[in-house]
Amino acid sequence: MLLCIAAGLAPQIEIQSSSFAADLKKLMEDANYADIQFHFHEDTTPLKAHKLILISASNVFRDILSTFSHSSHSFPEKFVDNVSCSCTRTNRAAINESTTTINCNEEVDVTFSSSVSRKNFEYVLEFLYTGMPGFGDNPDKIIVAEVSKLAQMFHLSWLSQICANIFKEEEFLNPSIGTYLNDETGQTLKSRFMDKQTLADVVFAVEGRQIYGHKAVLMARSSVMSAMVGGQFIEGLTGEVSFFYSFTIRMKKKTKIKSTKIKSTFLLIVL
């Protein structure tokens, strides 16, 4: 928040808009550290995504991943043909008291039935990440109708509402839906994954305690964290980095960067 004061005028408060949706769209497009692939019958090119985002934004995807096991192939939704993982074992870590999800380092592959096309699912995926399907200013009503069917299939009531608003020429209501969903997804992401071992791939050791994190989210939300966990501060994402907020960063080649602004200390461990 910025406070702007001009001579002779009352103070004006400028509220900076959230970058959450833009950051998650960047994450979706980049697919860095994606850990799930979607396969389609009519298109051999898979779509990559991130389990923690899908689980936070959709109960259906949480159910799909929760019911997966190497010995069981029954799925809660008819539009899923198969779910597989190349890892040799499956760790089922708790999301809450009643549900579990895959927690392994390998990608999960989800194959949809012929009722789900890649083209239309891209809109669903963008909705799950950003709260809006990305139809553009003059959406094709045929595509909107097809995406609306997928919204019902995936039990995405807000996506159904966005499509309905377009047909009723009430698109002006949709941005507020997107803002609401960003808040909801952010809160769910925080409560289910922040400082939790579930799907964590980085650990911060801070003053004697461990704080678990997720590289995909950290890199999307912070350029500093992107440099830190993305390879600029560490070589090949292996081993561990001592990051001294005195400020010294020690790497294998003993490169040092100094600053006097920050005075805490933590150790970054990449899993």
Side-chain angles (χ1 to χ4, degrees):
M1 182 173 68
L2 299 178
L3 181 62
C4 302
I5 303 176
L9 299 176
Q12 295 181 345
I13 298 176
E14 178 183 343
I15 305 297
Q16 294 181 331
S17 60
S18 170
S19 64
F20 185 85
D23 291 342
L24 261 63
K25 184 175 182 179
K26 179 176 64 177
L27 174 64
M28 178 191 73
E29 293 172 344
D30 188 10
N32 248 325
Y33 301 106
D35 51 8
I36 182 169
Q37 289 193 119
F38 295 104
H39 301 270
F40 307 88
H41 282 261
E42 92 292 354
D43 194 320
T44 58
T45 305
L47 278 176
K48 293 191 175 185
H50 305 83
K51 283 182 280 186
L52 76 167
I53 301 297
L54 302 182
I55 290 169
S56 299
S58 166
N59 290 333
V60 167
F61 283 104
R62 187 176 70 227
D63 291 343
I64 290 172
L65 294 172
S66 298
T67 56
F68 167 77
S69 72
H70 288 288
S71 59
S72 174
H73 292 280
S74 60
F75 308 109
E77 306 296 342
K78 294 181 179 179
F79 52 78
V80 177
D81 279 353
N82 188 50
V83 180
S84 63
C85 181
S86 60
C87 62
T88 56
R89 63 187 180 87
T90 302
N91 295 326
R92 304 177 66 80
I95 295 177
N96 55 41
E97 292 181 358
S98 61
T99 56
T100 57
T101 186
I102 302 168
N103 188 17
C104 64
N105 292 328
E106 302 297 328
E107 283 188 338
V108 174
D109 292 279
V110 176
T111 302
F112 287 125
S113 68
S114 57
S115 60
V116 181
S117 73
R118 188 185 193 280
K119 179 184 69 174
N120 292 333
F121 185 72
E122 287 183 25
Y123 293 104
V124 174
L125 195 62
E126 183 167 346
F127 169 80
L128 293 173
Y129 274 78
T130 70
M132 293 291 286
F135 288 134
D137 294 332
N138 297 296
D140 185 324
K141 297 296 178 65
I142 295 176
I143 293 177
V144 174
E146 293 174 348
V147 172
S148 182
K149 292 178 182 177
L150 284 187
Q152 295 178 31
M153 192 182 299
F154 285 93
H155 307 295
L156 298 171
S157 59
W158 283 114
L159 180 55
S160 295
Q161 185 62 57
I162 287 172
C163 294
N165 289 342
I166 292 173
F167 283 113
K168 293 185 293 184
E169 297 186 355
E170 296 178 345
E171 296 98 324
F172 63 91
L173 297 172
N174 290 341
S176 60
I177 294 175
T179 300
Y180 167 76
L181 292 175
N182 289 162
D183 291 340
E184 288 289 297
T185 300
Q187 288 300 317
T188 305
L189 189 64
K190 178 180 177 181
S191 63
R192 286 185 174 150
F193 295 104
M194 180 177 169
D195 195 18
K196 304 286 177 63
Q197 293 188 48
T198 307
L199 302 177
D201 51 9
V202 64
V203 179
F204 298 92
V206 183
E207 296 180 349
R209 67 175 293 247
Q210 291 186 327
I211 300 176
Y212 293 91
H214 304 79
K215 286 182 280 190
V217 173
L218 294 174
M219 293 178 70
R221 299 286 285 153
S222 167
S223 58
V224 173
M225 287 293 179
S226 180
M228 188 186 304
V229 304
Q232 295 180 39
F233 287 3
I234 47 183
E235 298 176 8
L237 296 171
T238 58
E240 61 187 41
V241 175
S242 295
F243 186 91
F244 297 94
Y245 272 67
S246 42
F247 174 168
T248 305
I249 303 169
R250 294 182 181 174
M251 299 176 285
K252 293 180 180 179
K253 294 182 179 180
K254 298 182 179 179
T255 303
K256 295 183 180 181
I257 303 174
K258 295 184 179 180
S259 172
T260 58
K261 293 183 179 180
I262 311 172
K263 297 182 180 179
S264 187
T265 303
F266 69 82
L267 177 70
L268 175 66
I269 305 170
V270 179
L271 302 179

